[in-house]
Amino acid sequence: MEDDLMPGDDIHIELVQQGPRRRQRPPVDTLQGHPYLEFPDGTDAARHCQKLRRMHVGSHASIDWDAMEEIAETPRVRRFIPIDSPWHRLFDLAHTPTYRELLVEFISSFTFHPPGEPVPIPYPGAPHPPEVSFRLAGVQRSMTLAEFAVRCGLYMQEEIETEIYTVGLVVVEKPTLVGFWQVIAGENHWEHEKSKGRVSFVRDPLYRRPCALAHGLAQYFASGHHRQERGFLYGGAYVTVIARSFGLVPHQDPHLRTPAIMPTRMGMQSLWGMRVIKRFPVGPRFKNPNGGVWTEQPLPEHFEDVYPPADPADVVPVEDPPEDLDGPAVPQPPPPAGAPQFPRHVIRGHAPGAALHPDVRAELDRLNDLVGWLVRAEQDRREREGLPPIPLPPVRAPHQQHQQQHQPQQQQLQDSDSDLDA
């Protein structure tokens, strides 16, 4: 694909600022009330749209093949990104403008039911939901995953029946993926002196395996509404390609209010900024963690699968219990009858609840004095103004039972005090 962004020489697009690269606060919601973003109240699409239209939209970066030629990486890269292949189209179509309104509408309404997976049916006899469905420019559309793969430009129609597409639909199990990443990934990370980002060292992902690119892209669109509101939305380049496949011309659509977000190419300036290349006597080349020229290392054709442990005991060694040097525990006598069967650790005293902490008791006494003072002040005011006294509130049932239970004890205490006075 050529460097021009749109087919034809008579089409002109005004270059505008690129999307934000750093995480920022969510932008001001300028898409409220847009005709493409009106969904029925209470639907999932309406809830998704309310969040997505306040998110940033990132600009895509495609491969600069001139830069790959300058650092002598074109032959190696072409081994796993052959010309006119799905991987080549994936990176090449990234150099396509993004339109914010179309992207938000597309992701808000996008649903994906992978072929072969069970789908819940709302009621017996209900039609099976489509594999892929979305709304674009106000028109609801549904299709198979194979048609979606062609519409987004990753596959040609004649490739759908070949192993390029069919073999890639096989889902790779997690043990295989974990084993693959342990082979190609280095154990250490390093940070460059002036680089703000951490770079992970990857040896070489040159396993020529079929990959379900359309399946992965559909999964990304289906999960777009789960991203944080301060994050970025991507995939707009492929939404534009899908819109063009239906005959839409986004840059001529009068309903699109915001300017197009233009893509970039990851050229030499980006590589120098990432500090992943260095100038050597042979020219600029990728550098390894030690600062030397990065060289390709052959990978084994087969690697062992890594299965997660079924039980934590398989990972954490079980130590023998410590030896009891004091001998067996001496049996304790049973507690006396009526004693509390729980430790006295909450409230101090001879028994739980027998005594309060001195600070708590002092605070309760102070509050009791203040309440009494307020009652007497209110009674004096009403007597001065000739108002009738306020009736006392009814006694609560638990409080009344408590008074009835303790009234004989209080009477005995009063009688004993009278005998002492006598």
Side-chain angles (χ1 to χ4, degrees):
M1 188 174 292
E2 302 296 333
D3 290 341
D4 55 342
L5 301 178
M6 301 285 292
D9 299 333
D10 57 340
I11 297 177
H12 173 71
I13 297 180
E14 180 182 0
L15 295 178
V16 298
Q17 69 277 8
Q18 301 172 6
R21 293 181 179 269
R22 296 181 180 178
R23 179 160 299 194
Q24 304 174 1
R25 292 184 177 181
V28 180
D29 186 6
T30 59
L31 302 181
Q32 188 173 7
H34 194 279
Y36 288 168
L37 305 180
E38 294 292 334
F39 295 97
D41 295 336
T43 60
D44 293 338
R47 290 190 294 269
H48 298 166
C49 182
Q50 187 176 5
K51 173 185 177 181
L52 295 176
R53 70 188 185 204
R54 295 195 300 266
M55 295 179 61
H56 291 291
V57 175
S59 60
H60 288 257
S62 59
I63 298 177
D64 189 340
W65 292 104
D66 293 337
M68 294 294 101
E69 190 71 27
E70 186 173 352
I71 62 177
E73 288 291 333
T74 301
R76 188 181 68 88
V77 174
R78 281 303 185 189
R79 284 162 49 193
F80 60 95
I81 308 181
I83 297 177
D84 198 20
S85 67
W87 278 106
H88 173 79
R89 301 179 195 118
L90 177 71
F91 290 104
D92 209 29
L93 291 175
H95 201 68
T96 306
T98 296
Y99 297 89
R100 182 182 183 87
E101 295 88 337
L102 297 181
L103 177 62
V104 172
E105 178 194 18
F106 185 86
I107 298 182
S108 298
S109 59
F110 192 90
T111 61
F112 178 46
H113 300 286
E117 295 187 6
V119 179
I121 304 298
Y123 56 90
H128 195 280
E131 295 178 0
V132 175
S133 65
F134 55 84
R135 204 181 76 180
L136 192 59
V139 180
Q140 185 70 31
R141 304 181 185 274
S142 59
M143 62 190 66
T144 62
L145 180 61
E147 183 181 354
F148 173 79
V150 177
R151 291 282 184 181
C152 62
L154 299 179
Y155 295 87
M156 306 298 291
Q157 183 63 45
E158 55 271 14
E159 295 175 342
I160 296 300
E161 302 298 332
T162 65
E163 292 185 354
I164 296 178
Y165 176 79
T166 57
V167 178
L169 291 178
V170 178
V171 179
V172 180
E173 297 180 352
K174 186 174 182 179
T176 305
L177 293 177
V178 176
F180 167 73
W181 282 109
Q182 286 194 359
V183 170
I184 71 170
E187 297 180 357
N188 301 323
H189 298 78
W190 77 94
E191 295 184 8
H192 300 283
E193 309 85 28
K194 299 181 181 180
S195 177
K196 296 182 179 180
R198 169 174 285 189
V199 180
S200 298
F201 178 64
V202 178
R203 292 174 59 188
D204 194 3
L206 290 187
Y207 277 112
R208 297 289 299 277
R209 302 283 199 273
C211 183
L213 297 181
H215 188 283
L217 187 61
Q219 284 186 324
Y220 171 81
F221 286 140
S223 61
H225 61 277
H226 291 298
R227 281 159 175 75
Q228 295 183 1
E229 196 167 320
R230 292 195 175 192
F232 293 90
L233 289 178
Y234 289 96
Y238 307 102
V239 175
T240 303
V241 175
I242 294 174
R244 294 175 184 171
S245 70
F246 288 107
L248 302 177
V249 185
H251 71 280
Q252 297 180 356
D253 191 338
H255 296 290
L256 301 183
R257 304 173 183 174
T258 58
I261 299 176
M262 307 308 293
T264 60
R265 290 196 182 275
M266 186 172 292
M268 294 300 297
Q269 183 177 0
S270 301
L271 297 177
W272 286 115
M274 296 168 61
R275 299 185 179 274
V276 296
I277 60 175
K278 183 179 178 180
R279 191 173 299 279
F280 297 95
V282 295
R285 296 291 186 272
F286 280 127
K287 63 178 181 179
N288 58 29
N290 300 323
V293 178
W294 180 85
T295 57
E296 180 180 351
Q297 300 178 7
L299 296 176
E301 180 62 25
H302 301 283
F303 49 87
E304 296 183 359
D305 295 344
V306 178
Y307 292 89
D311 189 270
D314 297 338
V315 178
V316 181
V318 179
E319 300 180 357
D320 296 333
E323 183 180 359
D324 189 1
L325 302 178
D326 298 331
V330 179
Q332 300 294 326
Q341 301 301 313
F342 47 87
R344 298 190 299 270
H345 64 280
V346 179
I347 303 177
R348 297 179 181 179
H350 299 286
L356 294 176
H357 193 275
D359 296 339
V360 178
R361 171 61 67 183
E363 185 69 20
L364 291 176
D365 292 341
R366 179 58 178 170
L367 292 175
N368 191 21
D369 294 340
L370 292 175
V371 171
W373 177 80
L374 289 174
V375 171
R376 290 193 299 270
E378 179 64 18
Q379 290 175 349
D380 294 342
R381 183 187 67 82
R382 296 183 69 86
E383 289 179 359
R384 290 194 305 268
E385 297 179 0
L387 298 175
I390 300 177
L392 295 175
V395 180
R396 298 176 181 269
H399 181 70
Q400 188 175 9
Q401 295 175 1
H402 179 75
Q403 284 186 338
Q404 292 176 357
Q405 293 175 359
H406 292 273
Q407 188 173 4
Q409 299 178 1
Q410 295 177 356
Q411 185 65 33
Q412 292 178 2
L413 292 176
Q414 292 177 1
D415 294 342
S416 60
D417 292 341
S418 300
D419 294 342
L420 292 175
D421 294 339

